[in-house]
Amino acid sequence: MEYTARKLAQILNGTVDGNPDAVASSFAKIEHGKPGNLSFFANPKYEEYVYSSRASILLVNKDFVPSKPVTPTMVRVENAYSALADLLKYDSDRRKTFRRHRGRCRIAFSAKLGKRVWVGDFVTIGKNCSIGDRTRICDNVTIGEGTVIGKDCIIYPGVHIFPGMIIGDRVILHAGCIIGDDGFGNAPQADGSWRKIEHLGNVIIGNDVEVGSNTTIDRAPMESTIIEDGVRIDNLCQIAHNVVVGKNTAMAALTGIAGSTKIGEGCILAGQVGIVGHVTIADHTTVGAKSGVIGNIRKPGETYFGTPAILHKTYLRSYAKFKRSGEE
């Protein structure tokens, strides 16, 4: 990459405060900024670095008023954090190249690939699959028979997508994630053994979803495990069979959701959250790290913490009493 401050202002609909010909050829955090770097300032707690940064260009909010001299050329934008995301996307798109496919892959004759689909080495695409325009499929990906993948998706190396899955537009599946493996269904027998319950359903992933590395989303026994539009799932998460995750919900690494649970829209599940099966979580619920949810959460917009999870304010009061009791 190489951008002048003038070019950045054009791309991001901003204005230049300083030298419009200042050039940046790499990104850096504001505290690490050096000549040739592009940094951004959005969080007020990092303001001290604005005045010590040696970066060539600094993205700032348009209403930022410095209290000291600033060395970098500032490009003022509506929202510096969002502008950085837009710029990274713009730069990533510029670097992409497209090709039909390499020779070292297996694509069924009945599979339908859209325009400018990119297919890497050792990819297997099964019968009757449909891949949307401009989707990028990296090395060592397996896509099962009858799977439908939308437009502008990125499927990173080592992803395994089982037969019959449905994946929307602009979905990102990071390395090693598994979409549509069997759910953990076993029926106890009279002799103490277990009988496996076959899973014949699928997984439906909506538009603009991102799934982290080595995350598993299990298919349902008969119907569908559903990940709705705009969901963000971190690395190493487990989504069990028949789960429904509502629009724009985000979950951090090592979150586990047991079968047939329904997560509402706009929820936030922090790292290592565990949720039992067959419960419903209301919209816009926040669950703190390492918490365990063992029952329904019916009121939207509440924050829960602890194991078992209780209202955060109640947890803090309880913990204060517990902590004092240990000091007596």
Side-chain angles (χ1 to χ4, degrees), residues 285-288 291 297-299 302-306 309-312:
T285 295
T286 297
V287 183
S291 297
I297 295 177
R298 295 182 173 87
K299 186 177 179 181
E302 299 279 10
T303 299
Y304 283 76
F305 192 77
I310 57 177
L311 284 170
H312 188 238

Side-chain angles (χ1 to χ4, degrees), residues 99-102 105 107 113 117-121 123 125 137:
R99 57 190 162 194
R100 184 64 174 178
H101 58 79
R102 294 177 176 173
C105 55
I107 302 176
L113 276 62
V117 170
W118 193 101
V119 181
D121 283 332
V123 169
I125 300 177
I137 304 169

Side-chain angles (χ1 to χ4, degrees), residues 85-129:
D86 292 340
L87 180 60
L88 291 171
K89 178 69 165 58
Y90 175 86
D91 194 66
S92 175
D93 289 344
R94 288 180 61 215
R95 300 184 190 197
K96 289 178 182 176
T97 58
F98 290 86
R99 57 190 162 194
R100 184 64 174 178
H101 58 79
R102 294 177 176 173
R104 293 177 290 183
C105 55
R106 297 178 61 186
I107 302 176
F109 286 112
S110 58
K112 297 179 180 179
L113 276 62
K115 298 177 181 178
R116 302 179 72 203
V117 170
W118 193 101
V119 181
D121 283 332
F122 309 112
V123 169
T124 298
I125 300 177
K127 297 177 181 179
N128 301 313
C129 288

